[in-house]
Amino acid sequence: MKFDSDHLGPQGIDVDDQTYAGSRYGDVKAALFHNAYYLTWGDEGEPPLPCYGVTLGRVLRGILSKGFPWQFKAAAERTVDSNADLRWGPDRRGFRRLLHPNGVCLLGRWIIDAENEFSGYFRQGSEALIIARYSTCCSETRRGRIRSLSMVGKLYPTTDVHHREKLRTADFITQEDIGGQRTPSINDAELRNAPDVTPWRRGWGTPILLITGLLFKFVNVEPAIRQLHTVAELGKPNDEPTRTPAFMRLTVGDEQPRLAGDALDFRDEILGQLYDRGSRASTGRKLVFNIDVTDQGERRGLLRQRWRFDNWQRIGRIEFGEAVASYNGDFVIHFHHPTWRTDRNDPDTASRATR
């Protein structure tokens, strides 16, 4: 599908958000694979993966208009308020991501196998289907450059890939330093729900980062921490207290192979973990992320923020077996930004109501 550079799509609350009643894993998977950017990944003659830009002009669009809403503010509010899994828009072209436009989607299993004190799908023995999107914060996708790698995920409370009922999902958000890092490989990235922040690493993108922080503080109180209560409440009986870990980090397992290549695009790196270039045959390989949690963390600094953590506990892993870079993966799938709670275990302390 050819991208129209002027197409923004519905940035604010739309019919897909208003009518959301859950989704089927199979339907979302089919949407993601429907329009991949390639027929066979890595095949000779395939075009390079598209790179969509993040610009200050697009972020500020509508900020001074009386008849046209500030699109970035509408997007921020929708991200927090809407639980929709797919946002097609009236023309079926989806919506333009203003901050993380370039990504690759992964599919697999969320597995919690260690004893712990937490509830919902953090509880020992929990296993869920997961659809995730690995992306960068801005326009840069290549290793060796400043970029901020990020992974968001949605959990389906089932292991049946053919389930027929619509299920409401639980979403989480993790990222490395929001200002960016020169992480040489996805194997080296530490993705946390409470990332460090080094604003000046963005260079000319620093104004976008500062605007983002101020806007999310206004919309959702805390701009740099993404709480985990949606996962801790997924599948939990209403009369059971919520017990949410304060912090989570995701890291690639030590046994995972490292892929070589100067200026390798992170999307090609992820696809190369699971597939052989130029072949449609399944390899059976997996890309595995460790899941660690803790309640002990301290943040220092104002603009430049650094976290110190203690007593990380490994409680499980995510095993991905499929991945795809596609138009619908960049423009249609949607991930909910968990609403900030003063008490992460008490829904009555939420800063906003969600749909």
Side-chain angles (χ1 to χ4, degrees):
M1 180 180 293
K2 187 176 180 180
F3 174 64
D4 177 1
S5 61
D6 293 325
H7 174 68
L8 278 179
Q11 294 295 322
I13 293 295
D14 192 56
V15 63
D16 294 313
D17 312 292
Q18 296 169 336
T19 60
Y20 176 70
S23 66
R24 301 178 186 88
Y25 175 88
D27 292 343
V28 177
K29 176 181 176 178
L32 294 176
F33 279 87
H34 175 67
N35 48 15
Y37 292 127
Y38 43 82
L39 293 177
T40 303
W41 173 74
D43 204 2
E44 185 176 352
E46 289 282 6
L49 297 175
C51 285
Y52 305 117
V54 175
T55 67
L56 182 60
R58 192 171 284 113
V59 166
L60 293 178
R61 185 173 178 179
I63 191 172
L64 299 178
S65 174
K66 293 183 179 180
F68 188 69
W70 183 15
Q71 293 296 284
F72 190 39
K73 179 174 181 291
E77 292 173 334
R78 175 260 305 156
T79 302
V80 176
D81 294 343
S82 171
N83 283 288
D85 297 313
L86 296 172
R87 302 184 72 249
W88 291 102
D91 55 8
R92 306 290 290 180
R93 292 194 295 163
F95 64 104
R96 172 65 177 260
R97 283 181 161 84
L98 301 179
L99 296 182
H100 288 254
N102 303 299
V104 56
C105 289
L106 302 102
L107 300 92
R109 296 288 180 98
W110 165 281
I111 302 167
I112 305 297
D113 54 12
E115 183 177 355
N116 64 79
E117 61 183 302
F118 304 112
S119 63
Y121 269 72
F122 284 115
R123 187 193 305 275
Q124 184 181 23
S126 298
E127 187 169 346
L129 298 175
I130 180 172
I131 295 177
R133 184 175 185 266
Y134 205 109
S135 65
T136 55
C137 65
C138 32
S139 307
E140 185 56 70
T141 63
R142 298 163 295 174
R143 63 169 47 159
R145 277 75 167 177
I146 292 291
R147 58 183 184 175
S148 179
L149 299 172
S150 171
M151 184 163 71
V152 298
K154 57 176 71 268
L155 304 185
Y156 285 82
T158 181
T159 57
D160 179 8
V161 296
H162 303 295
H163 68 90
R164 303 184 66 178
E165 70 276 22
K166 289 186 176 181
L167 301 174
R168 295 182 72 91
T169 60
D171 294 11
F172 64 82
I173 300 175
T174 61
Q175 191 169 348
E176 60 179 2
D177 191 310
I178 295 177
Q181 292 183 234
R182 293 188 186 273
T183 309
S185 167
I186 64 167
N187 298 63
D188 303 304
E190 181 175 297
L191 308 176
R192 303 194 306 257
N193 71 309
D196 294 338
V197 183
T198 313
W200 47 84
R201 287 182 181 168
R202 286 282 187 94
W204 292 107
T206 300
I208 296 176
L209 177 60
L210 297 177
I211 292 170
T212 301
L214 291 172
L215 181 57
F216 264 92
K217 186 172 182 61
F218 172 77
V219 170
N220 202 35
V221 180
E222 171 55 62
I225 303 176
R226 288 79 171 195
Q227 290 177 323
L228 304 163
H229 50 76
T230 57
V231 177
E233 292 178 344
L234 186 66
K236 180 187 71 64
N238 292 332
D239 58 354
E240 177 187 329
T242 300
R243 297 182 299 278
T244 310
F247 307 106
M248 179 176 75
R249 70 178 178 188
L250 303 177
T251 54
V252 173
D254 293 337
E255 68 284 356
Q256 198 73 38
R258 302 175 71 90
L259 300 189
D262 294 335
L264 183 63
D265 189 300
F266 77 93
R267 296 169 293 182
D268 288 319
E269 187 177 2
I270 287 176
L271 290 166
Q273 289 282 351
L274 300 175
Y275 304 102
D276 292 332
R277 284 184 174 273
S279 174
R280 297 189 182 187
S282 173
T283 64
R285 297 196 296 263
K286 294 185 182 299
L287 174 56
V288 180
F289 288 81
N290 299 315
I291 305 171
D292 300 329
V293 295
T294 184
D295 281 339
Q296 299 178 32
E298 180 183 3
R299 179 171 54 182
R300 296 183 179 181
L302 294 176
L303 283 179
R304 179 183 181 272
Q305 298 180 7
R306 290 290 180 271
W307 281 93
R308 176 179 176 180
F309 301 96
D310 292 306
N311 297 322
W312 285 109
Q313 177 188 5
R314 182 149 299 166
I315 63 171
R317 64 194 182 278
I318 305 173
E319 296 183 351
F320 292 115
E322 297 178 277
V324 63
S326 69
Y327 180 91
N328 285 345
D330 286 337
F331 287 86
V332 175
I333 193 170
H334 178 258
F335 293 86
H336 169 62
H337 191 304
T339 308
W340 181 260
R341 295 177 179 176
T342 305
D343 178 347
R344 63 182 181 272
N345 294 319
D346 185 355
D348 291 335
T349 66
S351 61
R352 304 173 68 93
T354 59
R355 296 175 185 269

